[in-house]
Amino acid sequence: MTKIIPSLSKMWLKVTNLEKSLFPGLQASLGVLSSKEEKLIKILDFAEIEQFIYIPLYTTII
């Protein structure tokens, strides 16, 4: 049980951070987000998909 509490605290901090910082910016750009869109954003944040995105340092033009 004692190992679960820090994990839950970390998850709660992520949710509150999203709601306070990311959602207002998205809503300003895209308009009101639906509950499904907000849920998807939270899921993608928890999954930390940015770890799997490759950004090439350079491109070669032929």
Coordinates of all heavy atoms in Angstrom, one line a residue:
M1 N 0.8 -1.2 0.0 CA 0.0 0.0 0.0 C 0.9 1.3 0.0 O 0.5 2.2 -0.6 CB -0.9 0.0 1.2 CG -1.8 1.2 1.4 SD -3.3 1.0 0.5 CE -4.1 2.4 1.0
T2 N 2.0 1.2 0.7 CA 2.8 2.4 0.8 C 3.5 2.7 -0.5 O 3.8 3.9 -0.8 CB 3.9 2.3 1.9 OG1 4.7 1.1 1.6 CG2 3.3 2.1 3.3
K3 N 3.6 1.8 -1.4 CA 4.2 2.0 -2.7 C 3.2 2.6 -3.7 O 3.6 3.3 -4.7 CB 4.8 0.7 -3.3 CG 6.0 0.2 -2.6 CD 6.5 -1.1 -3.3 CE 7.7 -1.6 -2.5 NZ 8.2 -2.8 -3.2
I4 N 1.9 2.4 -3.4 CA 0.9 2.9 -4.3 C 0.7 4.4 -4.1 O 0.5 5.2 -5.1 CB -0.5 2.2 -4.1 CG1 -0.3 0.7 -4.5 CG2 -1.6 2.8 -4.8 CD1 -1.5 -0.1 -4.1
I5 N 0.8 4.9 -2.9 CA 0.5 6.3 -2.6 C 1.4 7.3 -3.4 O 0.9 8.2 -4.0 CB 0.6 6.6 -1.1 CG1 -0.5 5.8 -0.4 CG2 0.6 8.1 -0.8 CD1 -0.5 5.9 1.1
P6 N 2.8 7.1 -3.5 CA 3.6 8.0 -4.3 C 3.2 7.9 -5.8 O 3.2 9.0 -6.5 CB 5.0 7.5 -4.1 CG 5.0 6.7 -2.8 CD 3.6 6.1 -2.7
S7 N 2.8 6.8 -6.3 CA 2.4 6.7 -7.7 C 1.1 7.4 -7.9 O 0.9 8.1 -8.9 CB 2.2 5.2 -8.1 OG 3.4 4.5 -8.0
L8 N 0.2 7.3 -7.0 CA -1.1 8.0 -7.2 C -0.9 9.5 -7.0 O -1.5 10.3 -7.8 CB -2.1 7.6 -6.1 CG -2.7 6.2 -6.3 CD1 -3.5 5.8 -5.1 CD2 -3.4 6.0 -7.6
S9 N 0.0 9.9 -6.2 CA 0.3 11.4 -6.0 C 0.9 11.9 -7.3 O 0.6 13.0 -7.8 CB 1.3 11.6 -4.9 OG 0.7 11.3 -3.6
K10 N 1.8 11.1 -7.9 CA 2.4 11.6 -9.2 C 1.4 11.7 -10.3 O 1.4 12.6 -11.1 CB 3.5 10.6 -9.6 CG 4.3 10.9 -10.8 CD 5.3 9.9 -11.2 CE 6.0 10.3 -12.5 NZ 6.9 9.2 -12.9
M11 N 0.5 10.7 -10.4 CA -0.6 10.8 -11.4 C -1.5 12.0 -11.1 O -1.9 12.6 -12.1 CB -1.4 9.5 -11.3 CG -0.6 8.3 -11.9 SD -1.5 6.7 -11.7 CE -3.1 7.0 -12.2
W12 N -1.8 12.2 -9.9 CA -2.7 13.4 -9.6 C -2.0 14.7 -10.0 O -2.7 15.6 -10.6 CB -3.1 13.4 -8.2 CG -4.0 14.5 -7.8 CD1 -3.7 15.6 -7.1 CD2 -5.4 14.6 -8.3 NE1 -4.8 16.4 -7.0 CE2 -5.8 15.9 -7.7 CE3 -6.2 13.9 -9.0 CZ2 -7.2 16.3 -8.0 CZ3 -7.5 14.3 -9.2 CH2 -8.0 15.5 -8.7
L13 N -0.7 14.8 -9.7 CA 0.0 16.0 -10.1 C 0.0 16.2 -11.6 O -0.1 17.3 -12.1 CB 1.4 16.0 -9.6 CG 1.6 16.2 -8.1 CD1 3.0 16.0 -7.7 CD2 1.1 17.6 -7.7
K14 N 0.1 15.1 -12.4 CA 0.1 15.2 -13.8 C -1.2 15.7 -14.3 O -1.3 16.5 -15.2 CB 0.4 13.8 -14.5 CG 1.9 13.4 -14.4 CD 2.1 12.1 -15.1 CE 3.0 12.4 -16.3 NZ 3.3 11.2 -17.1
V15 N -2.3 15.2 -13.7 CA -3.7 15.6 -14.2 C -3.9 17.0 -13.9 O -4.3 17.8 -14.7 CB -4.7 14.7 -13.5 CG1 -6.1 15.3 -13.6 CG2 -4.7 13.3 -14.0
T16 N -3.5 17.5 -12.7 CA -3.7 18.9 -12.4 C -2.9 19.8 -13.2 O -3.3 20.9 -13.6 CB -3.5 19.2 -10.9 OG1 -2.2 18.7 -10.5 CG2 -4.5 18.5 -10.0
N17 N -1.7 19.3 -13.5 CA -0.8 20.1 -14.4 C -1.4 20.3 -15.8 O -1.3 21.3 -16.4 CB 0.6 19.5 -14.4 CG 1.6 20.4 -15.2 OD1 1.6 21.6 -15.1 ND2 2.4 19.7 -16.0
L18 N -1.9 19.2 -16.3 CA -2.6 19.2 -17.6 C -3.7 20.2 -17.6 O -3.9 21.0 -18.5 CB -3.1 17.8 -18.0 CG -2.1 16.9 -18.6 CD1 -2.7 15.5 -18.8 CD2 -1.5 17.3 -19.9
E19 N -4.5 20.1 -16.6 CA -5.7 20.9 -16.5 C -5.4 22.4 -16.4 O -6.1 23.3 -16.9 CB -6.6 20.4 -15.4 CG -7.3 19.1 -15.7 CD -8.1 18.5 -14.6 OE1 -8.0 19.0 -13.5 OE2 -8.7 17.5 -14.8
K20 N -4.3 22.7 -15.7 CA -3.9 24.1 -15.5 C -3.1 24.7 -16.6 O -3.1 25.9 -16.8 CB -3.2 24.2 -14.1 CG -4.1 24.0 -12.9 CD -3.3 24.1 -11.6 CE -4.2 23.9 -10.4 NZ -3.4 24.0 -9.2
S21 N -2.3 23.9 -17.2 CA -1.3 24.5 -18.2 C -1.7 24.1 -19.6 O -1.7 25.0 -20.5 CB 0.1 24.0 -17.9 OG 0.2 22.6 -18.0
L22 N -1.9 22.9 -19.9 CA -2.1 22.5 -21.3 C -3.5 22.8 -21.9 O -3.7 23.3 -23.0 CB -1.7 21.0 -21.5 CG -1.9 20.4 -22.9 CD1 -0.9 21.1 -23.9 CD2 -1.6 18.9 -22.9
F23 N -4.5 22.4 -21.1 CA -5.9 22.5 -21.6 C -6.3 24.0 -21.9 O -6.9 24.2 -23.0 CB -6.9 21.9 -20.6 CG -6.9 20.4 -20.6 CD1 -7.6 19.7 -19.6 CD2 -6.2 19.7 -21.5 CE1 -7.6 18.4 -19.6 CE2 -6.2 18.3 -21.5 CZ -6.9 17.6 -20.5
P24 N -5.9 25.0 -21.1 CA -6.3 26.3 -21.5 C -5.7 26.8 -22.8 O -6.3 27.4 -23.7 CB -5.7 27.2 -20.4 CG -5.7 26.3 -19.2 CD -5.4 24.9 -19.8
G25 N -4.4 26.4 -23.1 CA -3.8 26.7 -24.4 C -4.4 26.0 -25.5 O -4.6 26.6 -26.6
L26 N -4.8 24.8 -25.4 CA -5.4 24.0 -26.4 C -6.8 24.6 -26.7 O -7.2 24.7 -27.8 CB -5.6 22.5 -26.1 CG -4.3 21.7 -26.2 CD1 -4.6 20.3 -25.6 CD2 -3.8 21.6 -27.6
Q27 N -7.5 25.0 -25.6 CA -8.9 25.5 -25.8 C -8.8 26.9 -26.5 O -9.7 27.2 -27.3 CB -9.6 25.6 -24.5 CG -10.0 24.3 -23.9 CD -10.5 24.3 -22.5 OE1 -10.4 25.3 -21.8 NE2 -11.2 23.2 -22.1
A28 N -7.8 27.6 -26.2 CA -7.6 28.9 -26.9 C -7.3 28.7 -28.4 O -7.8 29.5 -29.2 CB -6.4 29.7 -26.3
S29 N -6.6 27.7 -28.7 CA -6.3 27.4 -30.1 C -7.4 26.7 -30.9 O -7.7 27.0 -32.0 CB -5.0 26.6 -30.3 OG -3.9 27.2 -29.7
L30 N -8.0 25.7 -30.2 CA -9.0 24.8 -30.9 C -10.4 25.0 -30.5 O -11.3 24.5 -31.1 CB -8.6 23.3 -30.6 CG -7.2 22.9 -30.9 CD1 -6.9 21.5 -30.4 CD2 -6.9 23.0 -32.4
G31 N -10.7 25.8 -29.5 CA -12.0 25.9 -28.9 C -12.2 24.9 -27.8 O -11.3 24.3 -27.3
V32 N -13.5 24.8 -27.4 CA -13.8 23.9 -26.3 C -13.5 22.5 -26.6 O -13.9 22.0 -27.7 CB -15.3 24.1 -25.9 CG1 -15.7 23.1 -24.7 CG2 -15.6 25.5 -25.5
L33 N -12.8 21.8 -25.7 CA -12.5 20.4 -25.9 C -13.6 19.5 -25.3 O -14.2 19.8 -24.3 CB -11.2 20.0 -25.1 CG -9.9 20.7 -25.6 CD1 -8.8 20.4 -24.6 CD2 -9.5 20.4 -27.0
S34 N -13.9 18.5 -26.1 CA -14.9 17.5 -25.6 C -14.3 16.7 -24.4 O -13.1 16.6 -24.3 CB -15.4 16.6 -26.7 OG -14.4 15.7 -27.1
S35 N -15.2 16.0 -23.7 CA -14.7 15.2 -22.6 C -13.8 14.0 -23.2 O -12.8 13.6 -22.6 CB -15.8 14.6 -21.8 OG -16.7 13.8 -22.5
K36 N -14.2 13.5 -24.4 CA -13.4 12.5 -25.0 C -12.0 13.0 -25.4 O -11.0 12.3 -25.3 CB -14.1 11.9 -26.2 CG -15.3 11.0 -25.8 CD -15.9 10.3 -27.0 CE -17.0 9.4 -26.6 NZ -17.5 8.6 -27.8
E37 N -11.9 14.2 -25.9 CA -10.6 14.8 -26.3 C -9.8 15.0 -25.0 O -8.6 14.7 -25.1 CB -10.9 16.1 -27.0 CG -11.4 15.9 -28.4 CD -11.9 17.2 -29.0 OE1 -12.3 18.2 -28.3 OE2 -11.8 17.3 -30.3
E38 N -10.4 15.5 -24.0 CA -9.6 15.6 -22.7 C -9.1 14.3 -22.2 O -8.0 14.2 -21.8 CB -10.5 16.3 -21.7 CG -10.7 17.8 -22.0 CD -11.4 18.5 -20.8 OE1 -11.7 17.9 -19.8 OE2 -11.8 19.7 -21.0
K39 N -9.9 13.3 -22.3 CA -9.6 11.9 -21.8 C -8.4 11.4 -22.7 O -7.4 10.8 -22.1 CB -10.8 11.0 -21.9 CG -10.6 9.7 -21.3 CD -11.9 8.9 -21.2 CE -11.7 7.6 -20.5 NZ -13.0 6.9 -20.4
L40 N -8.5 11.6 -24.0 CA -7.4 11.1 -24.9 C -6.1 11.8 -24.6 O -5.0 11.2 -24.5 CB -7.8 11.4 -26.4 CG -6.7 11.0 -27.4 CD1 -6.3 9.6 -27.3 CD2 -7.1 11.5 -28.8
I41 N -6.1 13.1 -24.3 CA -4.9 13.9 -24.0 C -4.3 13.3 -22.7 O -3.1 13.1 -22.6 CB -5.2 15.4 -23.9 CG1 -5.6 15.9 -25.3 CG2 -4.1 16.1 -23.3 CD1 -6.2 17.3 -25.3
K42 N -5.1 13.1 -21.7 CA -4.7 12.5 -20.4 C -4.0 11.1 -20.6 O -3.0 10.8 -20.1 CB -5.8 12.4 -19.4 CG -6.2 13.8 -18.9 CD -7.4 13.7 -18.0 CE -8.0 15.0 -17.6 NZ -9.2 14.9 -16.7
I43 N -4.7 10.3 -21.4 CA -4.1 9.0 -21.7 C -2.8 9.0 -22.4 O -1.8 8.4 -22.0 CB -5.1 8.1 -22.5 CG1 -6.3 7.8 -21.7 CG2 -4.5 6.9 -23.1 CD1 -7.5 7.2 -22.5
L44 N -2.7 9.9 -23.4 CA -1.4 10.1 -24.1 C -0.3 10.6 -23.2 O 0.8 10.2 -23.4 CB -1.6 11.0 -25.4 CG -2.5 10.4 -26.5 CD1 -2.7 11.4 -27.6 CD2 -2.0 9.1 -27.0
D45 N -0.7 11.5 -22.3 CA 0.3 12.0 -21.4 C 0.8 10.9 -20.4 O 2.0 10.8 -20.2 CB -0.3 13.2 -20.6 CG 0.7 13.8 -19.7 OD1 1.8 14.3 -20.2 OD2 0.5 13.8 -18.4
F46 N -0.1 10.1 -19.9 CA 0.3 9.0 -19.0 C 1.2 8.0 -19.8 O 2.1 7.4 -19.2 CB -0.9 8.3 -18.4 CG -1.6 9.1 -17.3 CD1 -2.9 9.4 -17.3 CD2 -0.8 9.5 -16.2 CE1 -3.5 10.1 -16.3 CE2 -1.4 10.2 -15.2 CZ -2.8 10.5 -15.2
A47 N 0.9 7.8 -21.0 CA 1.6 6.8 -21.8 C 3.0 7.4 -22.2 O 3.9 6.6 -22.6 CB 0.9 6.4 -23.1
E48 N 3.2 8.7 -22.0 CA 4.5 9.3 -22.3 C 4.9 9.0 -23.8 O 6.1 8.5 -24.0 CB 5.5 9.0 -21.3 CG 5.2 9.5 -19.9 CD 6.2 9.1 -18.8 OE1 7.1 8.2 -19.1 OE2 6.1 9.7 -17.7
I49 N 4.1 9.2 -24.7 CA 4.4 8.9 -26.1 C 5.5 9.7 -26.7 O 6.1 9.3 -27.7 CB 3.1 9.0 -27.0 CG1 2.7 10.5 -27.0 CG2 2.0 8.1 -26.6 CD1 1.7 10.8 -28.1
E50 N 5.9 10.8 -26.1 CA 7.0 11.6 -26.6 C 8.3 10.8 -26.6 O 9.2 11.1 -27.4 CB 7.1 12.9 -25.8 CG 7.5 12.8 -24.4 CD 6.3 12.6 -23.5 OE1 5.1 12.5 -23.9 OE2 6.5 12.7 -22.2
Q51 N 8.4 9.8 -25.8 CA 9.6 8.9 -25.7 C 9.7 8.2 -27.1 O 10.8 7.8 -27.4 CB 9.5 7.9 -24.6 CG 9.5 8.5 -23.2 CD 9.4 7.4 -22.2 OE1 9.9 6.4 -22.3 NE2 8.6 7.7 -21.1
F52 N 8.7 8.0 -27.8 CA 8.7 7.1 -29.0 C 8.6 7.9 -30.3 O 8.5 7.3 -31.3 CB 7.5 6.1 -28.9 CG 7.5 5.3 -27.7 CD1 6.6 5.6 -26.6 CD2 8.4 4.3 -27.5 CE1 6.6 4.9 -25.4 CE2 8.4 3.5 -26.3 CZ 7.5 3.8 -25.3
I53 N 8.7 9.2 -30.2 CA 8.7 10.1 -31.4 C 10.1 10.4 -31.8 O 10.9 10.9 -31.0 CB 7.9 11.4 -31.1 CG1 6.4 11.0 -30.8 CG2 8.0 12.3 -32.3 CD1 5.6 12.2 -30.4
Y54 N 10.4 10.1 -33.0 CA 11.8 10.3 -33.5 C 11.8 11.6 -34.3 O 10.9 11.8 -35.2 CB 12.2 9.1 -34.4 CG 13.5 9.4 -35.2 CD1 14.7 9.4 -34.5 CD2 13.5 9.7 -36.5 CE1 15.9 9.6 -35.1 CE2 14.7 9.9 -37.2 CZ 15.9 9.9 -36.5 OH 17.1 10.1 -37.1
I55 N 12.7 12.5 -34.0 CA 12.8 13.7 -34.7 C 14.2 13.7 -35.3 O 15.2 13.8 -34.6 CB 12.7 14.9 -33.8 CG1 11.3 14.9 -33.1 CG2 12.9 16.2 -34.5 CD1 11.1 16.0 -32.0
P56 N 14.3 13.6 -36.7 CA 15.6 13.6 -37.3 C 16.3 14.9 -37.1 O 15.7 16.0 -37.1 CB 15.3 13.3 -38.8 CG 13.8 13.7 -38.9 CD 13.2 13.6 -37.6
L57 N 17.6 14.8 -37.0 CA 18.4 16.0 -36.8 C 18.7 16.8 -38.1 O 18.9 17.9 -38.1 CB 19.8 15.6 -36.1 CG 19.7 15.0 -34.7 CD1 21.0 14.6 -34.2 CD2 19.0 16.0 -33.8
Y58 N 18.6 16.0 -39.2 CA 18.9 16.6 -40.5 C 18.1 15.9 -41.5 O 17.7 14.7 -41.3 CB 20.3 16.7 -40.8 CG 20.9 15.3 -40.9 CD1 21.0 14.6 -42.1 CD2 21.5 14.7 -39.8 CE1 21.5 13.3 -42.2 CE2 22.1 13.4 -39.8 CZ 22.1 12.7 -41.0 OH 22.6 11.5 -41.1
T59 N 17.9 16.5 -42.7 CA 17.2 15.8 -43.8 C 18.1 15.9 -45.0 O 18.9 16.9 -45.1 CB 15.9 16.4 -44.1 OG1 16.0 17.8 -44.4 CG2 14.9 16.2 -42.9
T60 N 18.0 15.0 -45.9 CA 18.8 15.0 -47.1 C 17.9 15.3 -48.3 O 16.9 14.6 -48.4 CB 19.5 13.6 -47.3 OG1 20.3 13.3 -46.2 CG2 20.4 13.7 -48.6
I61 N 18.2 16.3 -49.0 CA 17.4 16.6 -50.2 C 18.1 16.1 -51.4 O 19.2 16.4 -51.7 CB 17.1 18.1 -50.3 CG1 16.4 18.7 -49.1 CG2 16.4 18.5 -51.6 CD1 16.3 20.2 -49.0
I62 N 17.4 15.3 -52.2 CA 18.0 14.7 -53.4 C 17.7 15.6 -54.6 O 16.7 16.1 -54.8 CB 17.5 13.3 -53.6 CG1 17.9 12.4 -52.4 CG2 18.0 12.7 -54.9 CD1 17.3 11.0 -52.4

